[in-house]
Amino acid sequence: MERFAHTPVLLERCVELVGVGVAAAREAGIAPVVVDGTLGMGGHAAGILEAFPDVRVIGLDRDTDALDRARTRLSAFGDRLTPVHAVDDELEEVLDDLGIDRISSLLLDLGVSSLQLDEDERGFSYSRPAPLDMRMDQSRGLTAADVLNTYSEADLARIIREYGEERQARRVARAVVADREKRPWETSDQLAGLLERVVGDGPAKRKRSHPAKRTFQALRIEVNRELDSLSSALPAALGRLHIGGTAVIESYQSLEDVIVKRIFTNGTRDQAPPDLPVVPDYLKAWLTPLTRGAETATSEEIESNPRSASVRLRAVQKIGEAR
């Protein structure tokens, strides 16, 4: 496989929506700065840098391997790209350190990356034997094995139910705790085997999805604090947009999309009572939607890039400051 073989999801549409914020910056006489809060291997960043020669991209990623690959891939753009080892909820600190007050657009391509899925030693996939790691940043934090070996049965059931939306979470948690008394949790195939045994004859099998899918998702979210990070990162980033700036978010599962939708909806609706004849400025919407609901990939894109099948794209433009 080519070192940089990777197809960014909805690339043209993301570049178009980012471009709305870039155009607003130009009109205001502001040097456009775009934050790619999930730089990955740089696919979306490359599209943005190529489309807008005057744009500087600040690329955040918690995965040091991804950062190294993005640096190499995008080296031709020189100092127009600033890669930073950070989580998206550290955005404000990163911008302060760089002396940047306002940004023109935020792009987030959420979830696990192609790089992480394809490298067996990361442990994200249940289809191949690997250590139960699942950390996007392998330099810090608990691994999935740590979670399975140390969390209480109640806590395991909670995260599997809430983050994996697994109906049989209590059964799974009970089996995880029972099995770890005999042998510590170490590998992905070890866990996948348990899940085949515990939920393989349930609804997941009837729907033809792998019985490990939901629990693996739950562990990944817990290990990387993905939902907590998104819930704090997105409002902070919206606050750093200049007027006319845009936020473009790609989600791949319902829990992420619900958070994005809630935050965007709060900003795109007037906060005045419905019977108020005149809405005062401080109660007016300060965001305007750029997408009608959530946009999805076309059948052609899904055929050429199956990982785009579950994407939900939402975008807004800032038209005022948060009230």
Side-chain angles (χ1 to χ4, degrees):
M1 180 184 293
E2 183 185 346
R3 181 171 173 78
F4 299 122
H6 168 60
T7 306
V9 174
L10 295 175
L11 175 60
E12 291 184 4
R13 183 60 170 147
C14 287
V15 170
E16 177 186 4
L17 292 164
V18 165
V20 175
V22 172
R26 290 170 178 162
E27 290 176 10
I30 301 170
V33 176
V34 173
V35 171
D36 185 342
T38 45
L39 182 61
M41 288 187 285
H44 284 101
I48 293 165
L49 289 163
E50 288 168 358
F52 310 114
D54 57 338
V55 161
R56 177 185 180 187
V57 171
I58 312 300
L60 277 59
D61 209 291
R62 65 176 87 193
D63 187 328
T64 55
D65 189 15
L67 280 171
D68 288 342
R69 296 190 184 208
R71 282 191 190 96
T72 302
R73 177 180 188 174
L74 304 174
S75 60
F77 295 103
D79 59 7
R80 292 180 57 211
L81 172 73
T82 304
V84 183
H85 182 216
V87 186
D88 50 16
D89 63 3
E90 297 171 326
L91 171 61
E92 290 206 278
E93 180 181 340
V94 169
L95 293 177
D96 289 344
D97 289 344
L98 294 172
I100 297 171
D101 181 42
R102 296 286 181 165
I103 61 174
S104 305
S105 189
L106 167 76
L107 172 66
L108 292 177
D109 184 19
L110 300 170
V112 63
S113 73
S114 300
L115 169 65
Q116 292 156 348
L117 282 172
D118 290 341
E119 294 193 344
D120 291 351
E121 65 269 19
R122 305 299 291 272
F124 287 99
S125 174
Y126 42 78
S127 62
R128 302 182 295 274
L132 275 167
D133 192 320
M134 297 194 193
R135 291 173 299 169
M136 294 177 181
D137 181 352
Q138 292 188 298
S139 69
R140 56 184 174 179
L142 295 176
T143 66
D146 293 329
V147 171
L148 292 169
N149 287 319
T150 63
Y151 277 31
S152 68
E153 181 179 324
D155 283 341
L156 286 169
R158 174 183 57 79
I159 67 168
I160 294 169
R161 180 180 63 253
E162 293 180 6
Y163 297 162
E165 300 178 287
E166 172 57 71
R167 294 181 181 179
Q168 301 188 64
R170 291 179 64 183
R171 286 184 62 193
V172 172
R174 191 179 308 120
V176 165
V177 171
D179 278 25
R180 78 188 184 194
E181 297 299 322
K182 307 169 191 173
R183 175 189 171 193
W185 291 103
E186 296 174 343
T187 64
S188 57
D189 56 326
Q190 183 186 357
L191 179 59
L194 175 139
L195 294 165
E196 287 269 17
R197 185 178 83 239
V198 174
V199 301
D201 59 349
K205 186 170 184 179
R206 290 196 292 274
K207 292 179 182 178
R208 296 187 178 181
S209 64
H210 196 286
K213 180 178 180 179
R214 294 179 182 274
T215 297
F216 269 66
Q217 173 180 294
L219 287 170
R220 191 199 81 218
I221 290 173
E222 173 68 11
V223 165
N224 296 290
R225 295 180 49 254
E226 291 177 46
L227 301 183
D228 291 341
S229 178
L230 176 62
S231 295
S232 58
L234 187 50
L238 291 171
R240 298 299 285 255
L241 291 173
H242 57 63
I243 301 301
T246 59
V248 184
I249 316 297
E250 292 183 299
S251 306
Y252 295 84
Q253 42 97 345
S254 62
L255 298 175
E256 294 169 338
D257 188 50
V258 165
I259 293 171
V260 175
K261 181 180 179 180
R262 171 177 53 79
I263 293 171
F264 281 0
T265 298
N266 286 342
T268 55
R269 288 181 177 171
D270 291 341
Q271 299 303 307
D275 57 347
L276 200 65
V278 178
V279 179
D281 287 345
Y282 71 91
L283 292 177
K284 287 182 179 179
W286 58 284
L287 301 173
T288 189
L290 295 178
T291 57
R292 180 174 293 182
E295 295 183 3
T296 59
T298 63
S299 56
E300 291 79 12
E301 178 162 358
I302 293 170
E303 184 176 354
S304 63
N305 184 14
R307 286 175 180 165
S308 67
S310 59
V311 72
R312 297 294 181 270
L313 171 66
R314 298 182 188 271
V316 293
Q317 183 176 30
K318 187 171 182 177
I319 56 175
E321 296 298 340
R323 279 47 174 203

